[in-house]
Amino acid sequence: MDPGRPDLIIFDCDGVLVDSELLSCRCLSEILSEFGFLLSVEQALEFFLGRSTKAIEQHYRDLGQALPDDFLPRLKARVLQTFAAALQPIPGVAAVLSGLVTPRCVASSSDLDRVSLSLDVTGLAPHFGGRLYTAQMVRHGKPAPDLFLHAAGKMQADPARTLVIEDSASGVQAAKAAGMMVWGFVGGGHYRARDGRAILSAAGADRVFAHMSDFWEA
């Protein structure tokens, strides 16, 4: 595939369209602390970046530490409240989306209401309409390929002609497993103190970039 001419572009949401990862990891760390589980923001980024809430629950089950029944509702409420007050779009992403003629959609590990809120708060929703696909819609979340294959199927696109924009190792791995080209984006606030270029390159990204203004530059 000519990387400049895909038939479909799939955007992850958190860390690609909106600068949300630090906010959401802080919320996760705070809520876990309220239940007596210690997890720093840095550990949250390391363990759960790009993963679904199912992955968080499974992580603690594997440790023999089941999370309380009200953990997810309290986490969700905290995240939505925080996003409504403080969430910002990734700088330059609105200009990229405005200039695209290629069909595009969102495929995110987050719940649909969180994705919808994120796009509404940041003014990006009109660029995608109802073309929002989430881990709730498939059996296996990232790094499995299910979500990206589901999105491509709904968009009637050939995976081999699809480009994915991702900020997490699990997302990059999912896109490669789906047979898609994937560009790693490291312009989110969560990569200011981490070597995102090395992380995403090691995961298999075909290209890594840090500024949306460089979107189409080789």
Side-chain angles (χ1 to χ4, degrees):
M1 181 183 74
D2 177 353
R5 299 179 182 272
D7 293 340
L8 170 68
I9 302 177
I10 300 177
F11 290 86
D12 179 37
C13 183
D14 296 292
V16 171
L17 298 174
V18 299
D19 202 0
S20 57
E21 296 289 17
L22 280 177
L23 293 176
S24 59
C25 284
R26 284 175 187 148
C27 291
L28 175 58
S29 178
E30 290 168 0
I31 294 297
L32 283 171
S33 178
E34 291 173 10
F35 286 114
F37 296 88
L38 297 182
L39 184 80
S40 69
V41 173
E42 292 73 21
Q43 288 172 319
L45 286 168
E46 180 181 353
F47 296 154
F48 303 123
L49 182 66
R51 308 294 301 277
S52 67
T53 51
K54 288 181 182 178
I56 298 172
E57 291 184 306
Q58 187 62 52
H59 172 83
Y60 283 98
R61 276 198 298 268
D62 291 343
L63 295 175
Q65 300 172 312
L67 295 172
D69 291 340
D70 56 343
F71 164 73
L72 285 182
R74 285 177 61 175
L75 175 62
K76 180 177 178 178
R78 181 71 58 85
V79 168
L80 294 181
Q81 179 185 40
T82 300
F83 280 15
L87 187 63
Q88 296 294 320
I90 290 290
V93 74
V96 169
L97 295 172
S98 294
L100 282 182
V101 294
T102 307
R104 85 297 304 257
C105 67
V106 175
S108 171
S109 293
S110 296
D111 292 346
L112 184 58
D113 51 359
R114 170 171 155 174
V115 174
S116 297
L117 175 70
S118 296
L119 298 180
D120 285 340
V121 165
T122 56
L124 300 178
H127 294 289
F128 296 99
R131 301 182 301 278
L132 310 178
Y133 308 105
T134 75
Q136 295 168 297
M137 301 174 184
V138 295
R139 183 171 182 179
H140 301 291
K142 305 171 188 178
D146 302 32
L147 178 56
F148 289 136
L149 292 174
H150 174 75
K154 289 293 187 181
M155 296 293 293
Q156 299 183 324
D158 179 355
R161 300 281 310 168
T162 297
L163 170 64
V164 175
I165 313 300
E166 261 289 351
D167 73 307
S168 70
S170 61
V172 169
Q173 291 162 354
K176 297 307 291 184
M180 301 175 178
M181 176 170 284
V182 56
W183 291 352
F185 178 70
V186 294
H190 56 295
Y191 279 128
R192 287 179 193 139
R194 305 169 76 226
D195 189 352
R197 190 171 296 276
I199 292 170
L200 299 188
S201 294
D206 297 289
R207 174 196 174 211
V208 180
F209 68 111
H211 304 283
M212 283 296 171
S213 56
D214 298 329
F215 190 85
W216 287 119
E217 293 186 10

